[in-house]
Amino acid sequence: MCGFLGLAGGKSPEDLLTCYYNGMLRLQTRGEESAGGSWSDGCRVDGTKGMGLVPVVFHRDKISEILAASPKMLIGHTRYSTAGGSTVKNAQPHWLHDRKGRFAIALNGDVPDLAALRLKAEKECGNVYASENDAEFILKQIDWFIDHEKPDWHEDFIHGIRRMMQTTRATYSGGLITGSLLYIFRDPWENRPLFVGRRGSLFVAASETTAFSIMHAEVERQVRGGEILVVQPNGEYRSIEGVPLKKRQWCVFEWIYFSRPDSVLPTGETCADFRRRLGYKAAACERSSGAQCCADCVMSVPDSGNFFTDGYAHGMGLERFTGMVRDNYVGRTFIDPGLDTRREKSDRKYTVLPAIQTVNGGKKITNAVWCDDSIVRLTTMEVLVGKIRKAGYEHIHLRISSPPIVSPCHFGIDMKTKDQLIAANLSVEQIRQRLGVDSLMYLPLEKLDEVIREGGIDPEDCCRSCFGASCAI
């Protein structure tokens, strides 16, 4: 799961670059390992990438260098590694330079069976790869189709992208930039999110709508599955059907965890509102089961658990308090590539406040519900439960806004094997015992489907395969 941004047009290169930098910051939560970008002045493509956050890679001198090139189009990428290690060579964009000039690609998504497909392409096409990243594979697929099928020059990249779509089973949303044009495209299942809009002459494409608001741009729509947008340097564009839309499979884990709360979902509601509705549903499910706990209050694991906590507390009729503080200078633990560093970051990231003593007439509260978005590997939750216990809470109840994650994801989330997934190997009761908590409840898959349906979406249009549902991709 990565962040993609594509821009063209705007009032001036200064305006374009300001929007670009601000938009990249808004997409930082989608990937914190590396960042990069490519830009064109209408003739020539240049680029940069490096390890670290956006301000590290796009520092003051680099911004001045880009501005001196008078950019008219740019693409940007913030990376969370799923294919290939966390190294500079796997950072995006990837670029090529041949008779067509220099061109670059940046994508969010994944190619299942990448190793086997690369080996086949090496033997049959003579492709040579400098990275282990799926975006480079897709770039060289596009390039091979252009060079070997020799379409009309003015349709060359359209042809290459279309042929890649026809032959490569993958999820992707992003863009390819050449000296004269920007191509925006999305996989035929719409698995990876991608929105387009504008502000005057400024064209914007981004993984999340939060990038639009910081530019004061209006979101027009989603990019359709299999669609290719051909964008001019002045921001004007035309739409082409690369391949027909297949069975829609929006990633629901985006809505539960990845997307920023202020981003708008295909349902038309904000991610925050969707997560609140998950909380209401979890409370209603618990009340109807007759198994509700007798806790004194509800607390959140910040930040992605905050809005689920709001809905759950209100639905249960319990007071909601802040019992945990997040260090905003420690990144997201789920998207960290290493187990040891995830555990270390979890320890540094969260501070649990001492059990509350200033409410209910001074009564000390030691019995609380703690809400979080998901449990994947159990790494973070084991650290948190230890901290909660040490802070003086004698009774700990966990409520999770998603169903148990029991199946690997091969489409853009770093959950590749079942041995990484605690719920694929232990029952809910076994997980509860391992954590040493009083109770543990997940939102059942059928209740998640109800929340999706109540938002006006058919659950079958969403990929929920990590929760054990079937997938059409």
Side-chain angles (χ1 to χ4, degrees), residues 183-374:
Y183 299 87
I184 302 296
F185 52 97
R186 189 179 187 188
D187 67 73
W189 296 275
E190 298 185 355
N191 184 252
R192 300 296 106 199
L194 189 60
F195 297 83
V196 292
R198 62 175 54 254
R199 187 206 66 202
S201 64
L202 176 69
F203 168 89
V204 184
S207 297
E208 292 187 36
T209 64
T210 182
F212 292 76
S213 60
I214 194 65
M215 305 175 201
H216 304 288
E218 295 294 325
V219 179
E220 292 180 344
R221 61 179 177 88
Q222 296 188 80
V223 177
R224 293 185 291 273
E227 183 180 19
I228 304 170
L229 303 181
V230 184
V231 188
Q232 303 285 339
N234 63 4
E236 296 180 359
Y237 72 90
R238 61 190 175 105
S239 171
I240 297 169
E241 183 184 88
V243 296
L245 172 69
K246 297 181 185 291
K247 174 61 178 173
R248 182 175 287 125
Q249 292 286 269
W250 290 327
C251 173
V252 77
F253 203 63
E254 282 271 354
W255 309 354
I256 291 170
Y257 174 75
F258 269 103
S259 295
R260 278 176 50 123
D262 53 335
S263 283
V264 176
L265 304 180
T267 59
E269 65 184 337
T270 64
C271 190
D273 286 338
F274 177 81
R275 291 171 183 168
R276 285 193 190 96
R277 293 199 297 112
L278 292 176
Y280 282 117
K281 185 65 69 175
C285 182
E286 185 170 345
R287 290 198 314 271
S288 65
S289 72
Q292 63 190 56
C293 64
C294 299
D296 297 315
C297 66
V298 182
M299 309 256 188
S300 171
V301 176
D303 286 330
S304 51
N306 287 346
F307 297 97
F308 170 70
T309 308
D310 289 344
Y312 177 83
H314 191 272
M316 294 296 290
L318 293 171
E319 291 188 272
R320 184 205 195 287
F321 293 109
T322 300
M324 191 176 294
V325 178
R326 174 189 167 179
D327 186 335
N328 291 325
Y329 299 97
V330 178
R332 302 179 91 170
T333 52
F334 176 84
I335 61 177
D336 195 285
L339 176 62
D340 290 339
T341 51
R342 279 195 297 268
R343 185 175 286 111
E344 179 187 346
K345 285 177 73 171
S346 298
D347 188 40
R348 288 188 284 118
K349 181 177 178 179
Y350 298 106
T351 300
V352 181
L353 301 175
I356 298 173
Q357 302 185 56
T358 57
V359 293
N360 294 344
K363 174 187 175 183
K364 186 174 182 179
I365 292 180
T366 61
N367 184 359
V369 176
W370 297 81
C371 296
D372 203 0
D373 58 271
S374 60

Side-chain angles (χ1 to χ4, degrees), residues 50-86:
M51 303 305 293
L53 302 178
V54 169
V56 173
V57 177
F58 293 92
H59 49 79
R60 186 182 299 274
D61 290 345
K62 182 57 66 176
I63 292 293
S64 297
E65 176 189 326
I66 300 172
L67 186 58
S70 298
K72 296 181 179 178
M73 304 178 293
L74 304 99
I75 58 173
H77 191 268
T78 59
R79 184 169 188 250
Y80 146 60
S81 61
T82 56
S86 182

Side-chain angles (χ1 to χ4, degrees), residues 83-100:
S86 182
T87 61
V88 172
K89 70 177 181 179
N90 289 321
Q92 297 189 40
H94 296 286
W95 41 73
L96 285 176
H97 197 151
D98 60 17
R99 64 177 181 80
K100 299 182 289 298

